[in-house]
Amino acid sequence: MNVLGIETSCDETGVALYSTERGLLAHTLYSQIAVHREYGGVVPELASRDHVRKTLPLVQEVLDCAKLTAKDIDAVAYTAGPGLVGALMVGATISRSLALGWGVPALGVHHMEGHLLAPMLEEDRPEFPFVALLVSGGHTQLVRVDGIGEYQILGESLDDAAGEAFDKAAKMLGLPYPGGPQIARIAEDGDPKRFNFPRPMINRPGLDFSFSGLKTHTLTTVRALEAEAPLTDQDKSDIARAFEEAVVSTLVIKCRRALEQENLHRLVMAGGVSANRNLRKQLAETLGKQGSEVFYPAPQFCTDNGAMIAYAGAQRLAAGQVDGTEVQVRPRWPMTELPPILAVPEASGDAL
């Protein structure tokens, strides 16, 4: 079965083709970073308009790359939520229109389930059960995963997601959007001994997160330095280093606790922040000492992308799930409401 996947939940238009027999056939991604950078964040109306312009040309690009035509497509999967309602509607209406015109089924996919399953696109894929850390601009969650659709939320952010906190800290330092990669870049030149930022909620029971206090501490540090003199590049690097270390340490501590609590030894990390090299290094070192394995998607599949939607959709379509006649998107959509499926169909794993 060849499944076309379309992702338009926020500010990236992703399109991919996944075969349940041959693996990932083709994928492409258009990022709107340049469109939104001058505003310091995503402008929903501009995001929706750009999805309108880019989606169909990207669909044709993927078909050409895979050397397939519309007649070879067996189903269309698209992101139905969570996300920006306008952006979701663009992807949903285009996807449903293509499916109707081609006479094939369509299925709306949960965006975070796509992220959670993205490591399944790799040759070294995790087996169920495992704990997943979903960490992005909009979500920070620890989830016990016993199978596709069998999810138990162990902990989540009570305020800002980790990726959102990175963006806000970057803005305090006068760094361009998106902030996460900028913080990571300048943190490499920071002095690790100059500042020691708090690790929020690590001394409390439970697996929830909170980054609002860390954000406030960062702003207080910036203002204290600015009261004496303008921030230097070294000041910014030192603050970025302390901020990144605090977020990374907090995530690592909570992941270790989650594995111990669930008596599991496999962790999957996905979402945009999962591309952070320091986070990957610290997780590998800390969890490796307790005999646990860590699985990630390839860097190109950490951010929003069509491949994860095509894969997640293929699994549910193969299990017989399809959309009804009414187009629905869900800007807010708890992942625990998803129905389980019994098994994951095997694929060759021939990813690009």
Side-chain angles (χ1 to χ4, degrees):
M1 179 172 61
N2 295 326
V3 178
L4 177 71
I6 296 177
E7 153 62 24
T8 63
S9 65
C10 191
D11 61 342
E12 289 169 314
T13 312
V15 180
L17 272 168
Y18 181 82
S19 166
T20 53
E21 291 77 34
R22 295 187 288 156
L24 185 61
L25 303 179
H27 66 94
T28 188
L29 181 72
Y30 171 76
S31 174
Q32 300 177 4
I33 287 177
V35 175
H36 302 287
R37 178 168 283 155
E38 64 178 296
Y39 303 100
V42 178
V43 181
E45 179 64 22
L46 296 181
S48 300
R49 292 179 182 180
D50 229 23
H51 289 310
V52 171
R53 287 190 290 263
K54 299 297 183 181
T55 303
L56 286 177
L58 292 181
V59 169
Q60 189 59 55
E61 179 182 331
V62 164
L63 287 170
D64 292 342
C65 182
K67 295 182 172 56
L68 299 178
T69 68
K71 295 180 180 179
D72 299 306
I73 304 303
D74 299 301
V76 180
Y78 61 93
T79 302
L84 302 176
V85 64
L88 292 170
M89 283 300 299
V90 171
T93 52
I94 290 176
S95 299
R96 295 295 295 272
S97 298
L98 290 174
L100 182 63
W102 295 341
V104 300
L107 179 67
V109 173
H110 194 289
H111 178 76
M112 296 311 294
E113 181 172 72
H115 275 304
L116 188 152
L117 297 178
M120 300 297 185
L121 292 165
E122 307 303 315
E123 290 187 11
D124 182 21
R125 62 184 69 181
E127 296 181 358
F128 299 113
F130 55 76
V131 170
L133 171 66
L134 301 179
V135 56
S136 66
H139 297 81
T140 302
Q141 294 180 321
L142 281 166
V143 186
R144 181 187 171 103
V145 181
D146 290 294
I148 295 180
E150 298 180 61
Y151 308 132
Q152 177 188 352
I153 305 299
L154 304 176
E156 57 191 338
S157 180
L158 303 178
D159 38 63
D160 290 351
E164 185 180 5
F166 268 107
D167 286 341
K168 290 180 178 178
K171 194 170 185 178
M172 296 174 197
L173 297 175
L175 302 175
Y177 172 85
Q182 300 295 331
I183 290 282
R185 178 181 60 81
I186 69 171
E188 293 181 358
D189 298 321
D191 180 357
K193 298 180 180 180
R194 184 176 179 188
F195 299 112
N196 183 25
F197 283 11
R199 276 60 170 161
M201 294 185 69
I202 63 170
N203 295 321
R204 297 185 187 180
L207 295 170
D208 287 331
F209 302 90
S210 172
F211 295 106
S212 61
L214 176 60
K215 184 179 60 179
T216 300
H217 186 91
T218 303
L219 181 60
T220 300
T221 303
V222 169
R223 287 178 173 173
L225 291 176
E226 287 179 332
E228 299 179 0
L231 290 182
T232 65
D233 288 343
Q234 189 60 53
D235 289 333
K236 294 180 180 181
S237 292
D238 294 344
I239 293 172
R241 178 68 176 263
F243 178 85
E244 183 186 52
E245 287 289 347
V247 173
V248 167
S249 294
T250 301
L251 293 174
V252 170
I253 290 169
K254 296 285 186 172
C255 286
R256 176 178 54 78
R257 288 181 182 175
L259 288 171
E260 291 174 350
Q261 173 183 300
E262 299 302 309
N263 195 28
L264 295 174
H265 298 282
R266 284 184 292 270
L267 178 82
V268 163
M269 182 173 68
V273 181
S274 69
N276 183 284
R277 288 183 293 179
N278 189 23
L279 178 56
R280 291 191 175 205
K281 178 183 177 182
Q282 294 296 329
L283 276 174
E285 291 179 356
T286 300
L287 300 186
K289 292 177 181 178
Q290 65 181 49
S292 296
E293 297 179 277
V294 186
F295 297 85
Y296 317 99
Q300 62 186 329
F301 300 134
C302 288
T303 57
D304 297 349
N305 64 87
M308 69 182 192
I309 301 303
Y311 178 85
Q315 311 315 309
R316 291 191 171 275
L317 285 158
Q321 297 182 23
V322 296
D323 280 343
T325 57
E326 185 177 353
V327 178
Q328 291 185 331
V329 297
R330 297 184 63 178
R332 296 180 182 274
W333 189 4
M335 198 165 60
T336 51
E337 294 182 2
L338 293 173
I341 63 177
L342 297 179
V344 182
E346 289 297 325
S348 65
D350 295 331
L352 295 181

